[in-house]
Amino acid sequence: MTQNTLQSTNNALTKSLERLSTGFRINSASDDAAGLQIANRLEAQSRGMNVAMRNSQDAISMLQTAEGALDEMTNIAYRMNDLALQAANGTNTTADRTALNSEFSALQGELKNIMDNTNFGGQKLLATTGGVFDDADVLFQIGSTTSEKLTADVDTQVQAVNADVTGLASSTLTTATGASAAIESLSAAGGMIEALGTARSKFGSYINRLDHTITNLGNMTENVSTAKGRIMDTDFASESGMMSKQQMLMQSGASMLSASKMVPQLAMSLLG
């Protein structure tokens, strides 16, 4: 009986030492089969949400790159509108309008350059050919399941800006009539400045949403990790006490086993 008890105590002591050395309460499926299954699901969810947070941050960077380009285009459009308003004034000579048109044309070229060449990681964002946001909706994976996606639906707005840039290429400030037409294209209702504002607003709404998505993912990750820890991690205070108990039982059991060997010897001495 003492030997059996020592074997059981030794197994318990070995288990305590294993848990204290690894830091895990569950080191094999036999320790807690159901707990291991639950912890595995929580681990997969936690890892997925960490990746989703990085995805969301990358999505924000991509959207901000596009919105920043549109912001600079807005500044250019403001300057072009100023030039058109100045050229429409009857005080200008032909030479004045030629000078104004020279800058206006240069700014037209920069608008086209921004639309064609703004890229993120090698992907064009706004171009009419191959532009990520011009071609179709963009899907961002923002959660640990396939249903957690954000659809960035900005292609209509980007296409409208591209159309305005193309249409503005025919504008010229060499005449008062041409200057008035340019003003209409730039600042009138439905003009380029309005189209740029609409597109930037759409990009901004998705950026703001993703900020909240990241905050929520961080909160869920923290709580899921805590739940997994309660299942998997060793309670060091409790396990240390258990180890001390098993060590005392081992010592007392070994002492009793040693004492039990004295009984046959005593009996033999009495017979002799």
Side-chain angles (χ1 to χ4, degrees), residues 124-272:
K124 292 186 177 182
L125 301 182
L126 306 172
T128 54
T129 301
V132 173
F133 293 120
D134 181 85
D135 287 347
D137 297 347
V138 182
L139 298 180
F140 297 117
Q141 180 66 44
I142 58 171
S144 58
T145 63
T146 55
S147 62
E148 296 174 272
K149 295 182 183 295
L150 168 63
T151 302
D153 177 17
V154 293
D155 53 314
T156 301
Q157 289 74 27
V158 172
Q159 289 165 8
V161 173
N162 266 314
D164 285 339
V165 171
T166 301
L168 197 62
S170 61
S171 297
T172 174
L173 306 187
T174 54
T175 65
T177 302
S180 297
I183 295 169
E184 193 73 17
S185 298
L186 285 162
S187 60
M192 175 179 284
I193 292 175
E194 182 177 311
L196 286 165
T198 301
R200 291 181 62 197
S201 176
K202 198 73 176 285
F203 276 103
S205 67
Y206 290 127
I207 292 169
N208 287 338
R209 175 180 170 179
L210 285 168
D211 281 333
H212 292 293
T213 298
I214 291 170
T215 301
N216 186 53
L217 284 170
N219 177 60
M220 288 194 295
T221 301
E222 179 181 350
N223 287 291
V224 167
S225 297
T226 299
K228 190 197 75 168
R230 284 194 292 267
I231 297 172
M232 290 294 296
D233 294 345
T234 299
D235 182 338
F236 278 85
S238 174
E239 205 61 52
S240 295
M242 185 63 67
M243 183 185 70
S244 297
K245 173 186 174 181
Q246 302 305 331
Q247 287 174 328
M248 292 175 66
L249 288 174
M250 284 289 291
Q251 292 172 1
S252 62
S255 297
M256 292 304 99
L257 187 62
S258 177
S260 68
K261 294 178 181 178
M262 301 296 296
V263 175
Q265 297 175 5
L266 178 60
M268 291 300 294
S269 66
L270 291 173
L271 290 174

Side-chain angles (χ1 to χ4, degrees), residues 26-37:
I26 302 176
N27 292 285
S28 67
S30 61
D31 293 336
D32 184 350
L36 180 63
Q37 177 71 3

Side-chain angles (χ1 to χ4, degrees), residues 13-25 27 234 236 239-240 243:
L13 177 59
T14 300
K15 183 62 66 178
S16 290
L17 289 170
E18 180 185 35
R19 288 172 174 170
L20 289 169
S21 63
T22 63
F24 293 115
R25 185 181 71 86
N27 292 285
T234 299
F236 278 85
E239 205 61 52
S240 295
M243 183 185 70

Side-chain angles (χ1 to χ4, degrees), residues 77-89 92 97 100 104 172-173 175-176 178-184 186-187:
Y78 287 150
R79 176 57 182 163
M80 293 175 75
N81 189 59
D82 292 344
L83 294 170
L85 287 168
Q86 187 176 352
N89 194 12
N92 292 294
R97 288 197 174 98
L100 292 167
F104 190 86
T172 174
L173 306 187
T175 65
S180 297
I183 295 169
E184 193 73 17
L186 285 162
S187 60

